[in-house]
């Protein structure tokens, strides 16, 4: 049988998750409730967090904090987060965006996880609540590697990252066959800070090009200390597939994903409209 526990604090929820291996955190429930409705999840405890901090956005300054329970609709309603609107708008349709949380997106299996791709390009830290004591921050790429090894992280309290100095330095695009709300063929996010016209410490990330969102390290190397001209974009396209292991699924074949990624990367870097 399935039970529900409502927790008024994150500490209480984290305690239940760390002490009961059949306990499942219920974020917006867009994936969990599908498992319940389709009979894949029939036993255990669904843990709901009503702590207001879980749904809090702090985005007034240079360091941005999003509670794990913040929804895509909340992000779209925040002017301070305008640079993230393309990524939040890429998640499902309006009904899904009203429920889908930042925390849940970190766990969504490929080809889902579009918002996480944006967070990876922003060098986000994931704040874990271990059940006892205060939160611990871990880099998102480490978190994703642990997730794929099946390490149980407990409760994710939120994510933190620095605001891009110039909103135009951050770019996101999702490629899908059905517009505007189809599942990803792939997604790309890039943070391209520049000094004196040269790209410095770029971060580029892909979704649906590996079992979890990945950094495009070859592209990052190709762009480092370059002006974003045709030659640099060509070099980035040549390095685009380094580290990629795309799957064949109902949305696209591995071959197709490999074929179209460099094309869309080139368009994103050139600032071409979708
Ligand atoms: C019709 C439909 C369309 C969709 N389209 C997209 C899309 O375009 N792009 C996309 O990326 N995703 C999409 N999704 C997947 C999903 O809606 C999103 O990834 C969403 O962000 C998941 O968040 P959630 O809060 O609903 O997760 P939930 O269903 O609540 O949880 C998902 C998993 O994450 C765990 N979890 C959630 N929050 C936490 C936390 N704070 N700490 C620890 N564990 C946690 C849960 O225990 C569960 O295992 C779609 C889903 C549906 C049903």
């Amino acid at each position: 049988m399935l039970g529900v526990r409502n927790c008024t604090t994150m500490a209480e929820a984290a305690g239940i998750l760390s002490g009961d291996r059949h306990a499942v955190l219920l974020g917006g429930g867009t994936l969990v409730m599908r498992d319940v409705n389709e009979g894949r999840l029939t036993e255990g405890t669904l843990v709901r967090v009503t702590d207001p901090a879980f749904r809090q956005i702090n985005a007034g300054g240079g360091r941005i904090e999003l509670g794990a329970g913040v929804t895509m609709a909340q992000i779209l309603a925040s002017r301070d987060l305008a640079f993230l609107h393309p990524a939040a708008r890429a998640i499902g349709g309006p009904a899904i965006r009203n429920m889908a949380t930042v925390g849940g997106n970190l766990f969504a299996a490929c080809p889902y996880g579009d918002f996480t791709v944006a967070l990876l390009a922003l060098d986000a830290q994931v704040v874990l609540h271990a059940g006892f004591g205060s939160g611990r921050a871990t880099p998102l790429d480490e978190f994703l590697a642990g997730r794929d090894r099946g390490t149980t992280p407990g409760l994710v309290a939120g994510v933190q990252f620095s605001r891009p100095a110039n909103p135009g330095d951050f770019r996101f695009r999702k490629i899908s066959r059905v517009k505007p709300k189809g599942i990803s063929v792939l997604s790309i996010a890039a943070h391209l800070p520049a000094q004196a016209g040269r790209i410095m410490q770029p971060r580029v990330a892909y979704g649906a090009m590996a079992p979890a969102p990945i950094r495009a390290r070859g592209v990052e190397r190709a762009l480092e200390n370059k002006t974003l001209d045709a030659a640099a974009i060509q070099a980035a396209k040549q390095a685009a597939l380094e580290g990629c292991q795309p799957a064949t699924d109902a949305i696209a074949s591995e071959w197709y994903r490999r074929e179209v990624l460099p094309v869309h990367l080139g368009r994103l870097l050139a600032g071409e409209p979708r």
Side-chain angles (χ1 to χ4, degrees), residues 10 17 23-35 46-47 49 54 67-72 87 89-93 96-97 99-109 111-116 127-128 143 153-158 174 180-184:
M10 285 196 247
L17 290 171
V24 173
L25 196 283
L26 182 64
T30 58
L31 295 173
V32 170
M33 292 314 295
R34 197 164 67 173
D35 284 347
L46 300 181
V47 179
V49 182
F54 196 59
V70 167
T71 63
M72 300 302 146
R89 204 176 289 115
I91 313 296
I96 291 290
R97 292 196 286 272
M99 302 300 292
T101 64
V102 170
N105 205 262
L106 298 175
F107 292 88
Y112 290 152
D114 297 312
F115 195 78
T116 303
V127 181
L128 300 173
F143 171 88
L155 178 73
V156 172
K174 168 173 165 173
K181 57 178 187 172
I183 297 171
S184 267

Side-chain angles (χ1 to χ4, degrees), residues 196-236:
R198 288 181 180 272
I199 305 287
M200 292 293 167
Q201 298 188 328
R203 287 186 67 103
V204 181
Y206 301 146
M209 290 305 296
I214 52 165
R215 294 265 301 280
R217 295 190 189 269
V219 174
E220 292 172 358
R221 279 198 308 277
L223 294 176
E224 179 65 44
N225 205 13
K226 300 282 185 339
T227 50
L228 201 50
D229 56 15
I233 293 173
Q234 187 55 30

Side-chain angles (χ1 to χ4, degrees), residues 59-64 161-164:
R63 190 76 183 155
I64 295 173
F161 48 91
S162 298
R163 171 184 298 284

